Amino acid sequence: MSAVSTDFVNNKSETKSFAFNETYDQLLQLSSVAMYVTDDQGYIRCYNSAAIKLWGRAPEIGKDRWCGAWRIFAADGTPLPVADAPMAITLQTGEPLVNVEIIIETPDNLRRSTLHNPSILYNEQHEVVGAINTIVDITERKTSEGILRANDELLRRASEAAELGTFEGDLVSDKFIFSKRMYAIFGLAESEEVTHDTLLNMLHPDDRPLRNVAMESALRNGSLIYEVRMIRKDNTIRWIRLNGKIMFNASGKPVSIHGIVMDITDQRNAAQRISDSEERLSFATASAELGTWDFHPLTGELIWDDRCKVLFGIPSETNMTYDVFLAALHPDDRERTNAVVSYIMKQESGGLYDIEYRTVHPDESIKWIRAKGKAYYNLSGDAYRFTGTVLDITAQKHAEETIRENEERLRLASEAAQVGTWDVDLVSGKIQASEIYRAIMEYEADAVLSETDFIERIHLQDRVVVSSILNPADRQSNFKFEARVLKSDGQYKWVRVNGQTLFDANLRPFRILGTLIDINDQRAHSDALEETVMERTRALQLAKEKLERSNQELEQFAYVASHDLQEPLRKIQTFSSLLSNHINHSPEADRYFDKINSSAQRMSVLIRDVLQYSRLSSTGDVMAETSLTTIIKSVVVDYELLILEKNAVVEIGYLPQVMGIAHQLHQLAANILSNALKFSTIHPLIEIFSTPVSREEVAMYPELKDDTDYTKITFRDNGIGFEQKFAEQIFTIFQRLNTRESYKGTGIGLAICKRIVESHGGLISATSEVGKGSTFTVILPLPATSDAG
Amino acid sequence: MLSIVSPITCFLIDDDADDVEIFSIAAAEIEAPIVCVTAVDGVDALNKLSGDDKFIPDFIFLDLNMPRMNGKQTLAEIKKIPRLAHIPVIIYSTSARPLDVEETLQLGAFHFLTKPSSITKLTKELSALINYQRN
């Protein structure tokens, strides 16, 4: 079938390199598939009317580049720059592309899914002169019905060829060419010249409006289909079905028409007319996915195309029979399918065949097939032809199966976890909700749910937050919230909502899916827990304050006590010395005065030490990095006289910086040093040095912290020592190991040491043996940045 | 040594009669002639000071721990009287709590004297103070 060559445009003058070959004209023109040709720079040089129809516009020759569509998108809907169109890629790489799917948009914003097949055009010198692209509209292939519709024209041609009249007409010159059968159908002599009016004038007046409506639509989409009565010259009336295609030029003006005409009078008369083209489909298509079959029940002849055989796993050379077909089916589906086919063979069935079954391939793999078809019956009611298509729906079946399984799993899981699920259709505003959702929200099974109602049931204190989350003007892709909802008894319960919004290709939200859980018990529990913690914290705070107060009171008491105790003591001393001036000095009297004085003096020191000890707990001093070397040296200076007097040697080794309160550490060292000097023998030797404390050693003492480094300070003397069994006791307040007569002291010094070390987070211990000297070991924390060595 | 011009007036403010006696004994030991005027507490002292414009002691000795008006309050009040502003006030107390020392010196005390436990020591302290002020 050839048409008049006016439905494409080209411009040969602009680019010399583009040697436009006449073959391309033909090719483009013959094709009902959209095609266009570009030069080597990608500028569009010519295209056919199918391309115009698909693009919804006629690109300007030599201006538009790579693709004539208004806008293009990748298959997933993301916008695609025209420079990334398949054609552009082919021109860039020199490689042809096959069936690249992109979405094209017309200026009216209609979108079509298309497959692009660009390939390079060469001249005789094998130089690139341009490229040609074939665009297949696959929008309607998305459903099997769509596929059938898309192949409507092909089907018609193939199945009715023998009985069809064909025509071609140039709408500009008004020249029409009729085929032989066309003349016959119209009852015209083959010698007659025909024009558009020849056709129009023969139309039955009653049916003209029908044709006009069909024409109007054809001028939009290029496809002219109608069934009308026609009055022949001999006044006989024939029903005809006309199926035509209108071609347009670049400016969208119709320039030609071609088509087929079928005499359907007999069908009409026999009431066999089938109005819908979809129902008339009896033949399969050239589509890749569909297999076609054609069965002639009267002769038993069964014709399968190769695709059909591939779908059934039957070798292409196999001679098909109905039994071969049945044998290829899954045993479980065989009987059912046979029964359906038997039924279709009867005229009362109506002849429409639509079935799903499984086939078993030689490798034992199973494919799901959907078969559609139509049986035709002769006047005696016997099916003489049964023809249709098969489609592989295995993937779809599996997907459905998976979805079903997932849904079931989700449902089971939701029920088990007491999770309510909901699904809002934003277009209709309808909410689907699971039973658990309804149970939690206390909805009747048939209650109609809405977002507004949900928000109204939210506690006022939570509503602002929830309303902003569910704001229709600003849908969030993922959200969750916890809120109180009103129950039927007027109380509130806590629920947790999780949601996910789905957006379409234009980023408009169309659906929200989500879950809802009753967290009231959980909330109540955690609230109670929080309350308990708060209570405990308050109690602890009170206890702490009480302790601080009592410490302050204690210090106050100690101060007052020491002040008030010192006063009478001072007076005893003063008046006893005044008394000694007024009496006669006898040896006894002097000895008694000495006793009074020494007792008073000792009590004075005792009071001072007790005061000091009580103050240790309540100092506001802050721990700081402190040099032990500096401290020990200043203590040695304090005791210089005593050291000289005792002829003692003090050896000081390496001492690190420690974390501590300087004046307390000073007192600590002073007390230990004074003890060493006090309990010394003839040649006192006192050694003071430090050693690192390993982490393993730290771990041995529960009082020490794992994450802190420590140093060990050793004070070793060669004095009188003590029995090891008293090593603990010596740190107890007022504990003396020696008589007061031989060694002075209050028995508080080492207790003060212990208190100082403990308030530093350290440890103090002593080892000794009578006559062999004593060793005092003090463990103190190192500054955080310092190394343990 | 000291040239005796006129007696030195010491105003002792202390509620403790024993301490007043001890102070007097110690003062009597000093070579210079000393007149001791006493008050039993801050209120008494301020009455005596404001009741007689001509009463300008050379030294004021002030105990801290007293009933009615304690030493610190008394010190603050004394410092408000212009004609006494230049008179050295010596705090004379049993304990030398660092906080008390600091506070009283800030209030304008001249010296902080801890009550010693012997007459001899007190006599020495007083002599040193008087000599220091005289020269």
Side-chain angles (χ1 to χ4, degrees):
Chain A
M1 206 182 294
S2 80
V4 184
S5 162
T6 47
D7 65 326
F8 70 88
V9 185
N10 78 67
N11 189 333
K12 294 175 192 174
S13 60
E14 274 192 33
T15 313
K16 274 182 185 164
S17 69
F18 188 71
F20 195 81
N21 192 310
E22 280 301 314
T23 350
Y24 300 144
D25 293 26
Q26 292 289 328
L27 227 154
L28 259 64
Q29 128 108 66
L30 277 174
S31 177
S32 60
V33 175
M35 294 174 95
Y36 65 101
V37 173
T38 69
D39 60 25
D40 57 346
Q41 296 304 306
Y43 290 103
I44 295 174
R45 288 291 158 194
C46 65
Y47 42 83
N48 61 12
S49 62
I52 295 175
K53 194 180 148 195
L54 204 56
W55 290 332
R57 64 188 285 268
E60 202 177 328
I61 294 301
K63 282 260 171 77
D64 278 281
R65 215 172 172 190
W66 294 315
C67 183
W70 180 250
R71 278 198 297 198
I72 59 174
F73 303 86
D76 62 5
T78 55
L80 197 67
V82 74
D84 289 343
M87 187 68 142
I89 290 163
T90 289
L91 277 167
Q92 198 186 327
T93 61
E95 295 294 324
L97 293 172
V98 179
N99 285 349
V100 179
E101 188 176 340
I102 67 168
I103 296 167
I104 63 172
E105 192 179 278
T106 69
D108 305 332
N109 304 109
L110 293 171
R111 291 190 182 186
R112 315 283 299 173
S113 291
T114 53
L115 296 178
H116 290 239
N117 297 277
S119 58
I120 298 288
L121 295 174
Y122 300 93
N123 63 11
E124 278 146 17
Q125 288 78 44
H126 206 75
E127 294 161 343
V128 175
V129 294
I132 182 162
N133 190 6
T134 310
I135 316 171
V136 183
D137 184 356
I138 56 160
T139 312
E140 297 195 353
R141 267 202 221 165
K142 298 290 177 181
T143 63
S144 54
E145 270 77 15
I147 296 163
L148 294 176
R149 261 200 305 281
N151 292 291
D152 187 77
E153 187 180 353
L154 280 171
L155 286 175
R156 204 182 317 285
R157 278 188 217 162
S159 66
E160 298 174 348
E163 296 152 21
L164 295 179
T166 64
F167 68 96
E168 306 160 7
D170 184 341
L171 297 174
V172 181
S173 62
D174 200 22
K175 275 198 176 147
F176 274 64
I177 303 163
F178 279 16
S179 71
K180 245 184 178 176
R181 180 161 277 272
M182 187 75 178
Y183 279 109
I185 292 170
F186 280 75
L188 297 169
E190 286 180 32
S191 55
E192 279 192 65
E193 267 207 24
V194 282
T195 64
H196 202 181
D197 286 341
T198 315
L199 281 168
L200 299 180
N201 291 337
M202 289 172 78
L203 287 177
H204 193 292
D206 290 354
D207 292 342
R208 278 187 191 168
L210 207 69
R211 177 263 164 196
N212 292 342
V213 169
M215 194 62 191
E216 261 178 56
S217 130
L219 288 173
R220 286 196 302 275
N221 62 26
S223 188
L224 179 66
I225 302 168
Y226 57 81
E227 285 184 18
V228 290
R229 280 164 296 177
M230 169 193 76
I231 304 168
R232 295 207 282 203
K233 281 193 170 169
D234 58 4
N235 282 334
T236 54
I237 296 175
R238 303 297 294 180
W239 275 98
I240 61 154
R241 178 187 303 133
L242 183 140
N243 209 312
K245 207 150 182 63
I246 294 173
M247 302 295 195
F248 302 83
N249 66 8
S251 48
K253 190 171 179 284
V255 288
S256 72
I257 181 168
H258 66 260
I260 51 179
V261 171
M262 186 182 179
D263 186 335
I264 57 165
T265 314
D266 290 343
Q267 286 175 38
R268 282 270 172 183
N269 288 348
Q272 285 177 338
R273 177 183 161 273
I274 301 157
S275 59
D276 193 332
S277 72
E278 258 181 68
E279 288 172 18
R280 282 185 286 105
L281 297 177
S282 55
F283 254 93
T285 76
S287 155
E289 289 89 352
L290 287 172
T292 65
W293 46 271
D294 190 1
F295 183 46
H296 298 270
L298 300 179
T299 60
E301 188 191 5
L302 178 58
I303 301 157
W304 276 24
D305 70 359
D306 285 347
R307 180 69 195 160
C308 235
K309 290 176 176 170
V310 167
L311 289 178
F312 277 70
I314 293 170
S316 62
E317 64 277 10
T318 309
N319 193 21
M320 282 308 298
T321 65
Y322 185 66
D323 288 339
V324 173
F325 160 70
L326 280 183
L329 295 182
H330 192 287
D332 293 350
D333 295 342
R334 208 171 282 153
E335 202 178 312
R336 174 175 60 90
T337 307
N338 189 33
V340 170
V341 171
S342 303
Y343 175 65
I344 295 288
M345 292 300 108
K346 294 174 188 155
Q347 195 169 12
E348 63 263 33
S349 70
L352 288 174
Y353 175 66
D354 189 348
I355 190 172
E356 289 177 6
Y357 50 70
R358 286 162 290 179
T359 66
V360 182
H361 285 219
D363 64 1
E364 296 191 339
S365 66
I366 290 173
K367 274 204 188 312
W368 272 97
I369 302 288
R370 179 174 188 184
K372 287 188 88 169
K374 169 92 181 112
Y376 297 89
Y377 311 93
N378 57 23
L379 290 173
S380 51
D382 296 324
Y384 65 90
R385 195 166 178 198
F386 179 33
T387 179
T389 58
V390 285
L391 179 67
D392 182 350
I393 56 163
T394 311
Q396 187 190 331
K397 276 279 173 190
H398 285 167
E400 280 171 12
E401 189 71 16
T402 312
I403 289 167
R404 242 194 326 275
E405 278 172 15
N406 285 348
E407 278 176 354
E408 182 63 13
R409 247 200 308 274
L410 182 65
R411 194 182 62 79
L412 289 174
S414 302
E415 267 173 29
Q418 285 296 302
V419 174
T421 58
W422 48 269
D423 183 349
V424 184
D425 182 340
L426 293 174
V427 180
S428 68
K430 276 188 184 147
I431 302 182
Q432 305 274 333
S434 69
E435 272 177 44
I436 293 171
Y437 177 93
R438 286 173 184 271
I440 293 171
M441 294 295 290
E442 299 179 342
Y443 282 118
E444 299 290 323
D446 53 354
V448 178
L449 313 182
S450 78
E451 253 190 299
T452 337
D453 176 59
F454 177 80
I455 288 170
E456 273 168 13
R457 281 185 60 189
I458 302 278
H459 193 291
L460 273 176
Q461 285 178 8
D462 302 332
R463 200 177 293 170
V464 175
V465 175
V466 173
S467 299
S468 83
I469 290 170
L470 296 179
N471 180 6
D474 181 23
R475 293 285 182 195
Q476 301 173 21
S477 59
N478 272 297
F479 59 85
K480 59 175 145 190
F481 57 82
E482 291 181 3
R484 283 157 286 182
V485 293
L486 185 65
K487 294 193 291 176
S488 52
D489 63 2
Q491 302 283 307
Y492 285 90
K493 76 157 90 172
W494 278 99
V495 297
R496 180 185 296 141
V497 173
N498 263 288
Q500 178 159 33
T501 308
L502 304 181
F503 296 87
D504 64 16
N506 297 319
L507 299 177
R508 272 192 295 266
F510 67 94
R511 194 173 166 195
I512 314 178
L513 301 167
T515 59
L516 176 131
I517 319 172
D518 183 340
I519 54 161
N520 207 44
D521 292 349
Q522 202 179 320
R523 254 327 254 246
H525 182 71
S526 70
D527 282 355
L529 201 66
E530 205 170 303
E531 185 56 36
T532 313
V533 170
M534 298 262 285
E535 228 167 71
R536 294 274 193 283
T537 310
R538 272 197 299 274
L540 204 64
Q541 186 65 30
L542 281 177
K544 192 176 159 235
E545 281 166 13
K546 207 169 151 190
L547 191 67
E548 274 170 7
R549 237 186 350 261
S550 99
N551 272 339
Q552 269 172 12
E553 281 165 7
L554 194 68
E555 202 226 344
Q556 190 65 23
F557 168 78
Y559 167 71
V560 171
S562 67
H563 177 274
D564 290 0
L565 289 173
Q566 290 283 14
E567 197 150 298
L569 197 57
R570 182 170 47 78
K571 286 180 188 167
I572 290 169
Q573 288 172 294
T574 307
F575 286 115
S576 84
S577 73
L578 281 174
L579 180 62
S580 75
N581 296 340
H582 291 86
I583 60 158
N584 296 323
H585 286 270
S586 67
E588 283 75 17
D590 283 347
R591 199 166 64 85
Y592 297 150
F593 277 121
D594 279 351
K595 280 203 184 292
I596 291 169
N597 277 333
S598 71
S599 292
Q601 215 160 40
R602 215 172 60 73
M603 185 158 180
S604 181
V605 174
L606 202 56
I607 290 165
R608 193 199 63 210
D609 283 0
V610 169
L611 181 65
Q612 207 161 40
Y613 182 80
S614 75
R615 274 185 190 164
L616 280 176
S617 59
S618 58
T619 58
D621 297 305
V622 180
M623 306 261 274
E625 250 183 77
T626 309
S627 164
L628 273 183
T629 307
T630 310
I631 283 169
I632 300 288
K633 279 185 177 163
S634 84
V635 171
V636 169
V637 170
D638 289 351
Y639 285 90
E640 214 162 32
L641 279 174
L642 193 58
I643 290 167
L644 278 173
E645 193 183 295
K646 295 250 181 182
N647 200 19
V649 176
V650 180
E651 282 183 1
I652 303 170
Y654 167 76
L655 296 170
Q657 301 268 112
V658 294
M659 284 308 287
I661 301 160
H663 71 86
Q664 287 191 4
L665 292 178
H666 185 100
Q667 189 166 11
L668 166 75
N671 288 2
I672 297 176
L673 190 67
S674 74
N675 267 0
L677 290 168
K678 196 189 291 173
F679 303 110
S680 61
T681 47
I682 312 153
H683 298 293
L685 173 65
I686 301 163
E687 294 163 280
I688 306 170
F689 56 91
S690 72
T691 43
V693 184
S694 70
R695 286 284 165 121
E696 290 72 28
E697 202 177 342
V698 168
M700 282 164 55
Y701 304 107
E703 298 90 341
L704 302 183
K705 290 182 196 158
D706 292 345
D707 58 352
T708 307
D709 291 319
Y710 293 90
T711 184
K712 188 191 284 180
I713 317 295
T714 303
F715 298 81
R716 189 158 64 201
D717 66 56
N718 56 354
I720 59 166
F722 54 89
E723 282 184 64
Q724 184 61 32
K725 64 176 177 182
F726 298 120
E728 295 273 334
Q729 269 185 48
I730 56 168
F731 294 107
T732 315
I733 192 162
F734 297 134
Q735 188 70 47
R736 295 184 61 103
L737 297 181
N738 303 98
T739 59
R740 197 171 298 133
E741 285 69 32
S742 46
Y743 298 98
K744 285 186 202 166
T746 57
I748 300 178
L750 284 176
I752 289 175
C753 287
K754 188 172 161 72
R755 241 180 136 163
I756 289 172
V757 173
E758 282 174 356
S759 77
H760 277 72
L763 282 176
I764 186 166
S765 63
T767 53
S768 185
E769 204 179 312
V770 176
K772 299 235 170 121
S774 308
T775 302
F776 285 84
T777 310
V778 176
I779 295 178
L780 288 173
L782 287 166
T785 48
S786 171
D787 286 327
Chain B
M1 292 258 64
L2 290 172
S3 58
I4 303 152
V5 183
S6 59
I8 293 155
T9 312
C10 288
F11 186 32
L12 174 65
I13 308 159
D14 197 335
D15 64 318
D16 189 320
D18 290 342
D19 276 329
V20 172
E21 189 183 340
I22 292 168
F23 187 89
S24 306
I25 295 168
E29 299 280 312
I30 298 172
E31 286 174 40
I34 288 183
V35 177
C36 264
V37 184
T38 60
V40 294
D41 58 33
V43 179
D44 185 26
L46 287 171
N47 282 339
K48 284 185 167 139
L49 285 167
S50 52
D52 179 2
D53 281 354
K54 284 167 191 150
F55 178 43
I56 302 176
D58 293 292
F59 296 95
I60 297 172
F61 289 86
L62 179 61
D63 188 18
L64 285 182
N65 200 4
M66 294 182 298
R68 294 211 282 176
M69 184 186 276
N70 70 25
K72 284 177 205 167
Q73 289 165 321
T74 312
L75 176 60
E77 291 304 317
I78 290 170
K79 286 296 164 189
K80 285 179 192 164
I81 302 168
R83 72 179 157 86
L84 303 175
H86 69 282
I87 307 295
V89 179
I90 294 106
I91 303 299
Y92 182 59
S93 172
T94 309
S95 99
R97 199 163 70 141
L99 193 68
D100 292 338
V101 177
E102 199 182 316
E103 262 185 89
T104 51
L105 291 180
Q106 260 173 15
L107 283 169
F110 175 74
H111 183 60
F112 198 104
L113 176 60
T114 308
K115 290 176 180 171
S117 50
S118 86
I119 297 280
T120 328
K121 245 189 196 168
L122 182 57
T123 310
K124 267 190 197 163
E125 293 270 5
L126 290 179
S127 304
L129 263 171
I130 289 162
N131 283 333
Y132 175 82
Q133 195 63 4
R134 276 282 169 90
N135 302 329

